[in-house]
Amino acid sequence: MSVRHYVLLATDGFINLPVSKTICPAQETKQQIYAFGFVGGLFKVDEKIVNPILDWTNRKNWGKLLELKGTGTIPSPLIVGEVEDRIYITLINLGMKERPDLIDDHTIHMHGAHVPSQLDGFPETSFGVPVWTDLTATPPAMTYFFLAENPGTLMYHCHVEASEHIQMGMYGALIIYPSKKSLSLAGIRQSVNKEWFYNGKPQAHIPKTATNKNFAYNDIQTYFDKEYVMLLSDIDSVWHESVHKGSFFNAANFKPDFWLINGRAFPDTLLPHPLSNTNIEFDSNLTRINYESYVHIKTGQQFLLRMINMGYQVVPWHIHGWHFTIIGKDSHIDPFIHLATLLQLDDSSHHALKNKGFTVSIGSGETYDLLLTSNDKRIEYLKYMILGQDGFPSFCSQLKKLNTIDANSIFNIPTEPVKCGSPELINYLKICQQSLTDINDQFFPQFFPMHNHDDYKITNKGIYPGGQLTYIQTDTPDYYVDEKFD
Ligand SMILES: [Cu+2]
C-alpha cells in the first residue's frame, strides 16, 4: 500500500494536428488547435518526493508553477496506482494564458471511482476550484482522495461545464493495478527466486521479470507481456476556435473533424509520444505505462489494450491480425474469464467461454480491456508466402513481379520507434529478400492496423489516412519453425 500524491494544474495550450498524410510533416503544415488540459503529475510517493517543483505550498516554486500556464496539452498526465493505494490529487487552477478573461472553476472527476459525492468533482453537487489570482498568496488548492478498491482502466476529467471542458481536452487515463497482496489472495504468487505460481502450479509462460503490474485483474488469465493505453477522443476544430476567440458555440452543433488516440491523429500516432519519459523513470514505484500508441511486440507475446472513450461518439474499434478477448469492462473483470478460471477449464473448452471479437463498440465514458495473443501465423502461411503451394507461386515471387510493373504500389512502412528526420522504412519486398538462407526472416516483421471502423473517422479534416488509426508491429519470435515443408 502506498500513498500517491499527484498535483494537477488546470490551464490552456495548443495541440498540433496533422492535415497531411506525410509521416513527420513539418510543424507549419499542422493545424494548431486551442485546448485546455491539466499539467503537473506525480508529486510524492509515501514520503519520497518525485517532483519537488509541484510543492505548491513552497513560495519558491510559485514562479515555476506559473510558467506552466499555457502549457496544457491532450491528454492530461497518467494517474496510476495499485489496489489499496490511497491516491490524492491536488488541483490548482492556473487560469488561461490565451483567455485571461475566462475565470471558470475546474474540478477533477475520477470517472468510475467509488468516492463520496463531496469528492466526485461534479461542481453542481460539490465544489469547483477557482483561479489563482492573488499571486502573493498560496494558490487556492483542493485535494481529492480516492481509495483504489478494484484493479482496472478508468479515466478522469474536469466536470465544470463538461460539454465544453471535456471537448477542450481536460481528461487523462487512470489505471489501477492489482497489488501483490490482491494477487496472492487470488492464488497468484511469486517465489523467492521470482518464479510465478498459480495455486501452487508453476506458470512457465510468465517471466521472472514480471510484476504485479503485468496483470490487469486478480486473475491468472489476465497476465500480459506489454500494455498500451488507447484513450480515444474527438475534436471539433470550429468549437475549439470559438472558445479561443470567445465567441458562442452551440454544443448541439458538434461536428468533429479530428479523431484522436492519446491526443494525436494518424500518422502522428506512430511517432514517439511527447509525454513519454516525463516524471516516469525516477522511481521503481512508478509504472512503465505511458501514452505510446504504436504497439510493438514479438510474435507470441500477450498484449493488453486499455481502451478508453472520452469522445462524444461511439467508437467501433477494430483490430486486424487476431481476435481479442474482452477481459474487463469499466474496471470489472469479464465474468466469463473469471468463471473459466473458477471452473479450471482447459484451453479448448475454455475457448467457447471467452468473450472474443474483432470489433468492439466503445461508448463515451466506457472502458474495455482487450487482451490479445499475437499468435504465430507461420504454421499456416509460411509455405505459401515463401515457397508457394497448391500450384500457386509464392507471395514473394508475385510481389517481385509486381515491383517490376509498378514499384510505387509496394508501400514503405515506418518501423517503431519512428525517428523523424531518418525514419527506417521497410516493405514486404525487402522482407522477402532479407535472407535467402533462413525463410523465417522473410516473414517478419508484420504490421497490423487497428482503427475506428467508422472509416470516415480515419481522416484529418477529410484527408485519408488520418484520425483514429495506428499500427501493431510484430517482430520475429525467439524461436524458429521448421523450414522443411513436404
Ligand atoms: Cu474545467
Side-chain angles (χ1 to χ4, degrees):
M1 193 286 292
S2 296
V3 173
R4 295 173 67 82
H5 185 181
Y6 289 82
V7 175
L8 297 183
L9 305 104
T11 187
D12 60 352
F14 290 93
I15 60 167
N16 295 299
L17 295 177
V19 282
S20 85
K21 47 186 139 179
T22 323
I23 292 164
C24 314
Q27 203 66 348
E28 57 272 18
T29 66
K30 292 193 168 187
Q31 179 161 349
Q32 211 182 41
I33 304 278
Y34 184 56
F36 296 170
F38 298 106
V39 294
L42 186 60
F43 166 45
K44 233 168 134 183
V45 179
D46 297 321
E47 289 312 306
K48 191 167 178 190
I49 290 175
V50 176
N51 187 353
I53 300 302
L54 294 176
D55 182 0
W56 77 98
T57 61
N58 183 347
R59 178 180 289 268
K60 286 184 189 146
N61 289 333
W62 293 355
K64 287 256 188 273
L65 293 179
L66 287 165
E67 279 172 24
L68 295 172
K69 194 167 168 173
T71 65
T73 184
I74 301 176
S76 296
L78 269 165
I79 293 183
V80 297
E82 57 185 59
V83 169
E84 288 191 359
D85 278 356
R86 292 207 287 269
I87 298 181
Y88 294 87
I89 307 169
T90 298
L91 175 58
I92 292 163
N93 184 349
L94 287 179
M96 304 302 174
K97 191 175 182 181
E98 290 285 312
R99 290 282 316 276
D101 57 309
L102 252 191
I103 48 155
D104 288 0
D105 288 356
H106 298 287
T107 67
I108 302 281
H109 167 61
M110 294 163 284
H111 181 108
H114 289 159
V115 294
S117 92
Q118 292 92 325
L119 301 174
D120 188 47
F122 189 74
E124 290 82 352
T125 57
S126 56
F127 65 92
V129 176
V131 184
W132 182 15
T133 47
D134 179 2
L135 303 182
T136 65
T138 310
M142 283 296 284
T143 299
Y144 295 86
F145 160 63
F146 91 101
L147 178 66
E149 293 169 81
N150 301 308
T153 306
L154 305 91
M155 65 197 96
Y156 69 92
H157 59 81
C158 175
H159 223 305
V160 172
E161 198 183 341
S163 54
E164 182 183 281
H165 289 204
I166 292 177
Q167 170 58 204
M168 290 305 286
M170 305 190 87
Y171 46 79
L174 172 51
I175 309 293
I176 305 298
Y177 294 94
S179 63
K180 283 193 183 95
K181 184 180 157 195
S182 69
L183 286 175
S184 172
L185 291 170
I188 305 161
R189 295 188 183 96
Q190 203 172 11
S191 69
V192 277
N193 57 0
K194 300 284 178 192
E195 278 153 354
W196 285 91
F197 290 86
Y198 173 55
N199 285 344
K201 288 184 214 114
Q203 303 293 304
H205 67 290
I206 305 181
K208 288 182 174 184
T209 49
T211 71
N212 56 308
K213 288 177 180 156
N214 288 90
F215 292 85
Y217 291 94
N218 295 311
D219 187 298
I220 190 66
Q221 293 184 77
T222 66
Y223 169 78
F224 55 84
D225 296 298
K226 288 189 93 171
E227 66 176 319
Y228 292 86
V229 171
M230 297 281 145
L231 174 53
L232 309 173
S233 59
D234 37 38
I235 296 271
D236 177 341
S237 62
V238 174
W239 192 346
H240 284 248
E241 198 43 38
S242 299
V243 174
H244 194 194
K245 287 186 191 140
S247 57
F248 176 75
F249 182 87
N250 181 344
N253 292 333
F254 174 63
K255 197 168 186 302
D257 47 1
F258 289 102
W259 291 269
L260 311 182
I261 304 171
N262 298 340
R264 299 184 301 169
F266 182 88
D268 288 0
T269 51
L270 303 180
L271 304 181
H273 202 288
L275 291 178
S276 288
N277 304 321
T278 53
N279 300 342
I280 295 260
E281 303 297 335
F282 291 163
D283 192 300
S284 59
N285 277 328
L286 305 184
T287 172
R288 297 155 292 172
I289 199 167
N290 53 42
Y291 281 125
E292 296 301 334
S293 51
Y294 193 152
V295 173
H296 191 172
I297 47 160
K298 274 184 187 175
T299 294
Q301 282 189 320
Q302 288 196 299
F303 62 103
L304 179 72
L305 300 176
R306 296 182 181 272
M307 308 301 308
I308 303 172
N309 189 358
M310 271 307 311
Y312 290 169
Q313 300 179 318
V314 175
V315 178
W317 188 253
H318 173 59
I319 299 176
H320 294 219
W322 311 275
H323 294 179
F324 52 75
T325 302
I326 297 172
I327 62 162
K329 180 187 184 313
D330 294 346
S331 83
H332 294 279
I333 190 166
D334 182 81
F336 292 108
I337 280 282
H338 199 54
L339 184 64
T341 299
L342 292 176
L343 296 175
Q344 300 185 331
L345 297 181
D346 60 36
D347 272 354
S348 54
S349 44
H350 182 183
H351 184 86
L353 250 190
K354 279 184 180 169
N355 195 355
K356 288 181 80 89
F358 44 76
T359 306
V360 59
S361 289
I362 310 166
S364 184
E366 286 188 313
T367 71
Y368 278 90
D369 300 306
L370 308 180
L371 187 65
L372 292 105
T373 304
S374 53
N375 286 328
D376 197 337
K377 296 176 190 291
R378 285 176 297 181
I379 292 108
E380 298 88 358
Y381 289 97
L382 185 61
K383 189 179 174 191
Y384 173 66
M385 303 302 279
I386 313 299
L387 302 173
Q389 67 185 14
D390 298 327
F392 292 93
S394 75
F395 165 83
C396 282
S397 64
Q398 293 176 53
L399 200 67
K400 215 168 160 184
K401 211 167 164 184
L402 188 66
N403 186 50
T404 63
I405 298 163
D406 181 5
N408 291 326
S409 61
I410 299 167
F411 281 80
N412 290 317
I413 311 155
T415 59
E416 203 277 343
V418 182
K419 295 181 211 87
C420 277
S422 57
E424 279 178 39
L425 301 171
I426 198 161
N427 62 49
Y428 279 104
L429 192 71
K430 280 190 211 166
I431 293 169
C432 279
Q433 293 165 343
Q434 259 176 4
S435 152
L436 295 171
T437 53
D438 196 330
I439 60 173
N440 285 274
D441 287 341
Q442 297 169 47
F443 200 69
F444 294 108
Q446 308 215 328
F447 302 88
F448 298 100
M450 53 179 174
H451 59 98
N452 187 331
H453 211 281
D454 282 348
D455 284 304
Y456 76 92
K457 295 169 185 171
I458 49 176
T459 58
N460 299 323
K461 296 203 85 172
I463 298 164
Y464 181 96
Q468 282 170 339
L469 165 66
T470 189
Y471 294 167
I472 303 166
Q473 178 179 335
T474 317
D475 292 345
T476 316
D478 297 328
Y479 58 90
Y480 283 84
V481 296
D482 193 347
E483 307 173 11
K484 291 182 210 73
F485 294 96
D486 49 22

